[in-house]
């Protein structure tokens, strides 16, 4: 009999897990809270470590149709505009790591994963369903679900929504930063506010002046802020992210908050004219009826401290449910996809009922937690360096000018992930 995996969450991590686990020969039942499969309007960078996995899953052609392939990464001083360092990407990444470095719209990545999942047999996708709790008997795991709350989905009230239960051999929590499954498994503190705010926008490059268009990844480093922009959608659109230090009023569980363009302009302070022109052009490009900027408060958790935070018994966590991280290494989606690939490898072994699922999931956690913790810690450290002031900023700039390519390349990350077996 085909073993069954239950997955909570239909974002990038959940769909990647569904694809990898179905390829491992398991049946999959995935439950998503939203009424439709969708992703937020933002860009994502994927390093060679992640692109290799997507190629292995047969998604190379789909990626090539929607992604951009920047030739280099450039770091600039946000105040002077001076170039501090560069890292060649393009053919160099392909030759050194066996896969390209690419950038794309999160919705495009989500869509191609969904298409891959829908092409698989023995995969069942259930929308408009919230997970509420689970019970691990040791012999099986039971997931409790109910129709998603009307207040969340903007639907008519659901009266006496029934609790439904489904049994499986393994449960994967891919239900994001505010994971209910994590809360039950670990009963730990809620995610912490980082004190950093991300202003995000995406605009067709044809609507920008020629001098502001770009086909490379550019990072601007300034005191208490930094800006990243890169092409998406085959280079036709530009994704722009401005991260500043501050707080936001309202529900931290909401990704999307109203952004005040005047506050953003003030936060840019005395930054370089070219950078301020870009910010203003993006603001103007949205128009009054369709504002360009959205504001996301950033939250995270401390780096993982052990395998117990990624799997216990027949339940395993993946992506932000296990290891939410700051976006200063551009690996949040990447680590979720790496988790999914490792799950697929491990559960392929457990396809035979003679293999013990809890042992296999523990091996998954042992293979993943230290790498995830390292990426979390490096992302936090990068945030301090990116936003540095005073002597630390001077040392950063001097080091970048002297050792730019060496500092920007990350072989331990972009190469093959280490495994215990």
């Amino acid at each position: 009999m085909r073993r069954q995996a239950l997955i909570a969450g239909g974002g990038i991590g959940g769909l990647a897990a569904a694809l990898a686990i179905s390829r491992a020969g398991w049946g999959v039942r995935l439950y998503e809270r939203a009424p439709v499969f969708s992703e937020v309007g933002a860009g994502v960078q994927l390093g060679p470590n992640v692109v290799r996995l997507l190629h292995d899953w047969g998604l190379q052609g789909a990626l090539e149709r929607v992604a951009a392939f920047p030739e280099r990464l450039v770091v600039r001083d946000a105040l002077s505009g001076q170039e501090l360092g560069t890292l060649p990407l393009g053919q160099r990444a392909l030759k050194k790591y066996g896969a390209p470095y690419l950038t794309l719209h999160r919705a495009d990545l989500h869509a191609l994963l969904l298409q891959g999942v829908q092409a698989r047999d023995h995969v069942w996708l259930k929308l408009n369903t919230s997970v509420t709790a689970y019970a691990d008997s040791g012999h099986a795991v039971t997931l409790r679900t109910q129709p998603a709350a009307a207040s969340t989905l903007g639907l008519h009230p659901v009266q006496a929504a029934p609790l439904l239960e489904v049994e499986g051999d393994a449960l994967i929590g891919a239900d994001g930063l505010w994971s209910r499954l994590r809360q039950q498994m670990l009963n730990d503190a809620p995610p912490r506010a980082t004190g950093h705010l991300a202003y995000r926008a995406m605009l067709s490059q044809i609507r920008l002046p020629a001098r502001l268009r770009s086909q490379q990844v550019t990072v601007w480093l300034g005191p208490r802020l930094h800006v990243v922009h890169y092409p998406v959608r085959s280079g036709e659109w530009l994704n722009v992210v401005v991260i500043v230090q501050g707080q936001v009023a309202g529900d931290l569980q909401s990704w999307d908050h109203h952004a005040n363009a005047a506050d953003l302009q003030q936060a840019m302070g005395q930054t370089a004219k070219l950078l301020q022109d870009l910010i203003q052009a993006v603001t103007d490009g949205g128009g009054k009826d369709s504002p360009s900027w959205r504001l996301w408060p950033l939250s995270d958790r401390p780096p993982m401290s052990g395998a117990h935070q990624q799997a216990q018994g027949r339940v395993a966590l993946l992506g932000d449910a296990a290891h939410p991280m700051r976006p200063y290494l551009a690996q949040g989606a990447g680590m979720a996809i790496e988790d999914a690939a490792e799950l697929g490898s491990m559960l392929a072994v457990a396809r035979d009922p003679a293999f013990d699922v809890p042992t296999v999931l523990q091996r998954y956690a042992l293979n993943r937690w230290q790498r995830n913790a390292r990426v979390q810690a490096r992302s936090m450290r990068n945030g301090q360096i990116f936003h540095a002031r005073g002597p630390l900023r001077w040392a950063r700039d001097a080091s970048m000018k002297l050792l730019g390519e060496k500092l920007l390349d990350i072989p331990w990350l972009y190469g093959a992930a280490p495994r215990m077996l």
Side-chain angles (χ1 to χ4, degrees), residues 171 230 352 368:
L171 171 61
Y230 50 82
D352 185 338
R368 290 299 303 160

Side-chain angles (χ1 to χ4, degrees), residues 30 74 107 144 154 208 225 236 253 257 259 300 385 415:
L30 183 149
V74 180
R144 297 189 180 98
L208 292 170
L225 66 85
E236 295 180 1
Q253 294 195 39
H257 290 246
D300 72 351
I385 294 171

Side-chain angles (χ1 to χ4, degrees), residues 89-397:
L89 300 173
Q91 288 299 313
R92 179 186 181 278
L94 186 60
K95 182 177 180 180
K96 185 172 183 179
Y97 297 115
Y101 192 107
L102 59 82
T103 54
L104 73 168
H105 195 303
R106 290 184 69 93
D108 292 337
L109 174 59
H110 188 267
L112 66 89
L113 287 169
L114 179 59
Q115 291 167 7
V117 169
Q118 289 173 330
R120 304 289 307 174
D121 294 329
H122 307 291
V123 177
W124 188 70
L125 306 176
K126 178 65 173 175
L127 291 164
N128 196 21
T129 303
S130 292
V131 300
T132 60
Y134 69 85
D136 185 348
S137 69
H139 303 289
V141 61
T142 301
L143 180 65
R144 297 189 180 98
T145 72
Q146 66 180 147
S151 60
T152 300
L153 299 176
L155 304 178
H156 295 296
V158 177
Q159 295 183 345
L163 283 171
L164 303 175
E165 294 187 348
V166 59
E167 186 177 274
D169 297 287
L171 171 61
I172 311 304
D175 49 339
L177 177 66
W178 302 90
S179 168
R180 287 189 178 183
L181 300 191
R182 179 196 176 101
Q183 181 61 27
Q184 180 175 342
M185 178 196 289
L186 301 176
N187 193 29
D188 57 359
R192 61 187 184 184
T194 64
H196 290 191
L197 306 176
Y199 289 84
R200 299 178 182 266
M202 196 174 298
L203 196 67
S204 172
Q205 299 223 48
I206 201 170
R207 298 170 68 179
L208 292 170
R211 65 190 178 88
L212 299 179
R213 299 172 192 171
S214 177
Q215 294 298 326
Q216 64 188 19
V217 180
T218 304
V219 182
W220 304 75
L221 306 181
R224 296 174 62 85
L225 66 85
H226 78 281
V227 181
V228 182
H229 58 78
Y230 50 82
V232 296
R233 294 197 158 158
S234 302
E236 295 180 1
W237 287 64
L238 190 70
N239 183 75
V240 185
V241 184
V242 182
I243 296 184
V244 302
Q245 294 178 210
Q247 302 291 338
V248 66
D251 183 8
L252 288 179
Q253 294 195 39
S254 172
W255 278 99
D256 201 358
H257 290 246
H258 172 71
N260 187 316
D263 290 343
L264 173 58
Q265 203 68 44
Q266 182 178 6
M268 297 307 295
Q270 300 301 312
T271 52
K273 185 178 186 305
L274 183 65
L275 179 54
Q276 292 207 30
D277 288 349
L278 174 63
I279 301 304
Q280 188 61 53
V282 174
T283 300
D284 294 342
K288 293 182 179 179
D289 297 329
S290 179
S292 298
W293 298 103
R294 302 305 304 179
L295 178 61
W296 295 2
L298 301 181
S299 299
D300 72 351
R301 292 183 179 275
M304 300 184 76
S305 61
H308 70 284
Q309 292 181 319
Q310 194 133 13
Q312 293 184 22
R314 290 178 175 267
V315 183
L317 302 178
L318 173 150
D320 282 352
H323 45 75
M325 56 190 64
R326 304 184 188 192
Y328 309 138
L329 201 56
Q331 284 288 325
M335 290 302 101
I337 292 171
E338 281 194 8
D339 284 350
E342 183 64 23
L343 267 175
S345 296
M346 290 295 98
L347 293 183
V349 174
R351 181 171 50 195
D352 185 338
F355 284 86
D356 180 61
V357 171
T359 299
V360 169
L361 290 181
Q362 181 65 16
R363 181 60 60 180
Y364 152 75
L366 288 169
N367 281 342
R368 290 299 303 160
W369 84 265
Q370 288 177 308
R371 179 168 170 87
N372 287 325
R374 186 177 185 183
V375 174
Q376 285 177 293
R378 180 65 176 267
S379 298
M380 292 172 61
R381 176 173 171 268
N382 276 4
Q384 296 172 342
I385 294 171
F386 287 3
H387 291 200
R389 297 178 290 172
L392 179 58
R393 174 174 172 250
W394 303 334
R396 176 201 69 198
D397 292 354

